[in-house]
Amino acid sequence: IQPLVIGSNADALAVMAALDAQGIWVPAIRPPTVPAGTARLRISLSAAHTVEHVQRLCEALQTASGA
């Protein structure tokens, strides 16, 4: 599991929704599970994921974050 700290709940939920719209499931983890101000995405990687899967995720994260 690779956490990606986003910060605010709203931002984490927005990135989660943007990824979901692209067919990528990465849940947002928010308080009280994590400290306030540290909402994050929970990226679960496995040996079943290909290099292409990871590249697609990276590209989707850049798009979702506006980078």
Side-chain angles (χ1 to χ4, degrees):
I1 296 172
Q2 178 63 53
L4 178 60
V5 177
I6 302 293
S8 77
N9 291 351
D11 289 344
L13 289 172
V15 174
M16 180 184 83
L19 293 174
D20 188 43
Q22 297 182 60
I24 300 171
W25 176 245
V26 179
I29 309 299
R30 298 165 288 144
T33 306
V34 296
T38 67
R40 61 200 67 197
L41 299 178
R42 181 181 177 155
I43 301 169
S44 296
L45 300 169
S46 77
H49 288 107
T50 65
V51 170
E52 291 78 17
H53 289 137
V54 176
Q55 288 173 335
R56 182 170 170 237
L57 171 63
C58 291
E59 291 167 4
L61 283 168
Q62 287 179 330
T63 300
S65 68

